[in-house]
Amino acid sequence: MASPLPGTRALRTLEAAARHLNFTRAADELGLTPAAVSHQIKEIEDQLGLVLFTRTSRTIRLTEAGTVLFEAATDTLDLLGRAVMRARKAARGTEFLKVTLDAQFATKWLMRRVEDFRKQRPGIELRFDIAYGLRDFELDDVDVGIRFGAGKYPGLCAHRLFDNIIIPVCSPSLLASGPPLREPRDLFHHTLAHIEWARQGVTWPNWRMWMAAAGVDDFDDSRTIVFGTSADAVQAALEGSAVALADFAMVANDLSEGRLVRPFELGIKVAPEYAYFLVYPQAMADDPRIVAFREWILEEMAKTRTTDTA
């Protein structure tokens, strides 16, 4: 849990100790000493007149009574956490909208357009949660999310934002001073950057796939550099150290403003079921703040879309 709930010390100690079945690991999680955890558990047992854990020299195990109370403590802490988050959102008022999204989408697309939203909707202040991990709308302090995935989110509304088309990009300086790029095979003389990503049988386009689409069947990928994120691959291109495969929408501004160039027009579409989606709870679909943000971002997305195909 991100922040302790007041008055729940005993429940949190019981839940952590039962989940880990190890007082030392529970203590590390709670910021206590193992002795303090052991003492709190003993207090709970004495107050209830129940034995919750059986202890040996090396292990602890839950008793039947301990299992019942562990499940109840887990449910109670979850229920309280969700209630507290609803209360915090209500206390924020209607003028704030908190958006969770990953760093690449934030820096390469959204932040460049935030001022336009503020001009159109001066009564709504956007706040941001930058994270690659998924958020829980009931437990985390966020209202809407922008996430890459298959768009299947039970209980959430999901709006597809744009198709992901992967294109080669490089810096103007590399194009001007490096080995010429007149045909795809000329890329053999450059360092090539891409990312590795695969999920449920779908692979993010890499240089081997791009070369195959370009009709090059003897590509040697020994000169490629694999990055962990698209942002790192694009940064290598911006610095002039590589030709990178990048998502068109994420580099559209860099291309239009001349920081990057597109040496070849060929682009490869990511599997159609995967894309960036705007998501939010179905129960919040009519919230005026979400309606305003949804209408604005879908309109902006229409300006970003490209008709490039593989």
Side-chain angles (χ1 to χ4, degrees):
M1 191 167 298
S3 58
L5 298 170
T8 60
R9 187 188 70 165
L11 284 178
R12 290 186 293 112
T13 302
L14 171 61
E15 189 277 336
R19 174 161 40 86
H20 289 292
L21 289 178
N22 184 292
F23 287 174
T24 300
R25 287 198 291 269
D28 289 341
E29 179 180 310
L30 297 169
L32 300 173
T33 65
V37 170
S38 180
H39 178 71
Q40 287 184 27
I41 294 298
K42 185 66 167 60
E43 277 191 341
I44 297 170
E45 291 178 324
D46 290 344
Q47 290 170 3
L48 297 175
L50 295 170
V51 176
L52 305 180
F53 295 88
T54 56
R55 301 161 176 83
T56 68
S57 60
R58 295 185 178 181
T59 63
I60 63 173
R61 292 186 179 181
L62 282 169
T63 64
E64 185 176 351
T67 299
V68 171
L69 288 178
F70 168 49
E71 293 173 352
T74 301
D75 291 343
T76 299
L77 289 170
D78 181 71
L79 181 63
L80 283 172
R82 295 177 190 277
V84 167
M85 191 49 60
R86 289 197 300 272
R88 284 177 175 163
K89 288 181 179 180
R92 276 204 269 117
T94 58
E95 69 271 24
F96 299 114
L97 184 72
K98 195 161 186 179
V99 184
T100 178
L101 69 168
D102 65 48
Q104 179 181 344
F105 195 98
T107 57
K108 291 296 185 181
W109 197 91
L110 186 61
M111 295 306 181
R112 298 169 180 268
R113 295 167 172 80
V114 165
E115 192 57 34
D116 178 73
F117 178 83
R118 288 171 175 159
K119 289 178 180 178
Q120 292 189 32
R121 303 286 182 170
I124 302 175
E125 180 180 337
L126 293 181
R127 295 184 177 180
F128 302 101
D129 168 65
I130 307 300
Y132 282 101
L134 296 179
R135 298 303 195 197
D136 185 326
F137 286 103
E138 292 189 10
L139 285 176
D140 298 309
D141 187 18
V142 295
D143 300 302
V144 300
I146 297 171
R147 283 291 180 260
F148 183 81
K152 298 176 182 178
Y153 307 107
L156 302 181
C157 296
H159 302 271
R160 189 185 188 91
L161 296 182
F162 52 70
D163 293 326
N164 299 88
I165 299 175
I166 310 307
I167 62 170
V169 295
C170 64
S171 71
S173 61
L174 182 146
L175 194 63
S177 61
L181 291 174
R182 300 188 183 93
E183 59 181 49
R185 285 183 177 277
D186 292 335
L187 287 164
F188 289 8
H189 305 294
H190 292 268
T191 300
L192 306 179
H194 64 253
I195 66 169
E196 282 188 355
W197 181 93
R199 188 176 298 169
Q200 297 179 346
V202 174
T203 301
W204 191 268
N206 54 36
W207 274 111
R208 182 173 294 281
M209 295 165 65
W210 190 91
M211 288 291 182
V216 178
D217 56 9
D218 59 345
F219 174 63
D220 176 7
D221 60 6
S222 62
R223 289 181 61 85
T224 62
I225 297 178
V226 178
F227 285 97
T229 69
S230 295
D232 292 332
V234 171
Q235 187 60 37
L238 288 166
E239 293 172 356
S241 58
V243 182
L245 286 178
D247 188 336
F248 174 85
M250 296 296 103
V251 295
N253 286 312
D254 292 315
L255 290 169
S256 64
E257 295 168 11
R259 288 183 293 275
L260 289 174
V261 294
R262 189 173 178 176
F264 301 103
E265 290 300 311
L266 175 64
I268 302 178
K269 278 190 176 182
V270 178
E273 62 267 33
Y274 282 91
Y276 273 104
F277 288 86
L278 172 69
V279 296
Y280 50 85
Q282 291 174 353
M284 301 295 290
D286 295 327
D287 185 304
R289 299 165 304 157
I290 293 177
V291 171
F293 186 74
R294 179 181 67 221
E295 291 177 348
W296 172 79
I297 198 170
L298 291 177
E299 182 179 335
E300 287 297 312
M301 281 295 164
K303 302 174 186 176
T304 305
R305 291 190 181 100
T306 176
T307 58
D308 290 355
T309 57

